[in-house]
Amino acid sequence: MGSDVGGIFINYRTADSAFGAVMLDQKLVERFGESAVFRDNRSLSLGNKFEPVLWKRLRSSDIVIVVIGPHWLSEATRGGRRIDDPEDFVHREIVEALRLDLDIVPVLIGDTPLPKPEHLPPALRSLPGYQYVSIRARDPESDIDRLVNQLAGLPALAALASHSASPQPAGVDGNQHSVHTHVDTVHGENIVFGFQNRG
């Protein structure tokens, strides 16, 4: 990728939706390439000052994916909800994406409903207005493949997709395809998360 960076930024809460974020990351990297997809725990190198890198990548991204799991709203800290804390990284990243008018895709994990505006802090109340997708527990691979194919069709990402490996066809023609996902690498005991302050 060039100096302008671009690509896809994954916003997620470690305590809520890390598994879904890792699965998304794997599929997106397969399609768009590792440097085109930013997920903090994979993308940040040892020795980096993570905040400058994180904000640079967010501000230059073409798409911000907000992964929302069942505890995204309720995860608590210091007697209140993390999502209400203006210092919370998930909160801060979404606020910045909204401020910059970036394209945002809320991705709902399992049966998680889209949060209602009145359940969100004021700075995030426009988030439910963005078109969302759901990753169903009974068929996550097909849902993720469908999302990846939709993203690849966006003008901002089409060039990145065309320079990567051949796209997976699942989810675009209504047929079922067997797509291997390295799920064995993302079970809880095998994930190492370096940034506890993501919540």
Side-chain angles (χ1 to χ4, degrees), residues 58-64 92-105 123 126-127 129-130 156:
L58 174 63
R59 290 165 182 156
S60 65
S61 291
D62 299 303
I63 298 287
V64 176
R92 291 173 65 190
E93 290 166 8
I94 299 171
V95 166
E96 184 68 359
L98 292 169
R99 184 185 72 84
L100 295 171
D101 198 25
L102 300 178
D103 289 337
I104 299 173
V105 180
S126 60
L127 180 63
Y130 289 79

Side-chain angles (χ1 to χ4, degrees), residues 1-194:
M1 298 182 67
S3 59
D4 291 335
V5 188
I8 301 165
F9 186 100
I10 301 176
N11 167 279
Y12 69 104
R13 189 172 297 291
T14 303
D16 169 62
S17 51
F19 186 86
V22 172
M23 287 190 70
L24 277 167
D25 184 38
Q26 289 177 342
K27 288 289 191 177
L28 290 166
V29 166
E30 286 176 11
R31 186 66 172 269
F32 298 100
E34 187 170 336
S35 63
V37 183
F38 183 89
R39 181 177 62 84
D40 59 355
N41 286 288
R42 175 185 54 77
S43 302
L44 291 164
S45 301
L46 289 175
N48 280 162
K49 284 189 173 181
F50 76 89
E51 281 209 52
V53 176
L54 182 148
W55 296 121
K56 178 180 179 181
R57 288 300 302 265
L58 174 63
R59 290 165 182 156
S60 65
S61 291
D62 299 303
I63 298 287
V64 176
I65 290 178
V66 178
V67 184
I68 301 175
H71 306 296
W72 189 84
L73 273 178
S74 60
E75 183 67 25
T77 183
R78 294 196 295 270
R81 300 187 310 173
R82 286 189 181 274
I83 199 64
D84 294 319
D85 182 357
E87 297 304 313
D88 173 60
F89 271 93
V90 171
H91 178 118
R92 291 173 65 190
E93 290 166 8
I94 299 171
V95 166
E96 184 68 359
L98 292 169
R99 184 185 72 84
L100 295 171
D101 198 25
L102 300 178
D103 289 337
I104 299 173
V105 180
V107 174
L108 309 178
I109 302 299
D111 296 325
T112 305
L114 187 69
K116 295 181 179 180
E118 60 267 28
H119 295 158
L120 293 168
L124 304 185
R125 285 181 182 164
S126 60
L127 180 63
Y130 289 79
Q131 184 65 36
Y132 70 92
V133 299
S134 294
I135 305 300
R136 300 165 296 171
R138 66 180 180 273
D139 197 12
E141 289 189 356
S142 292
D143 290 339
I144 292 174
D145 286 331
R146 186 176 299 107
L147 170 60
V148 171
N149 286 325
Q150 289 173 334
L151 291 172
L154 298 177
L157 298 177
L160 294 175
S162 69
H163 291 296
S164 65
S166 298
Q168 300 288 353
V172 295
D173 58 5
N175 296 325
Q176 295 296 317
H177 300 273
S178 177
V179 182
H180 179 67
T181 302
H182 302 289
V183 177
D184 58 321
T185 65
V186 296
H187 286 305
E189 66 271 23
N190 295 327
I191 303 175
V192 178
F193 295 102

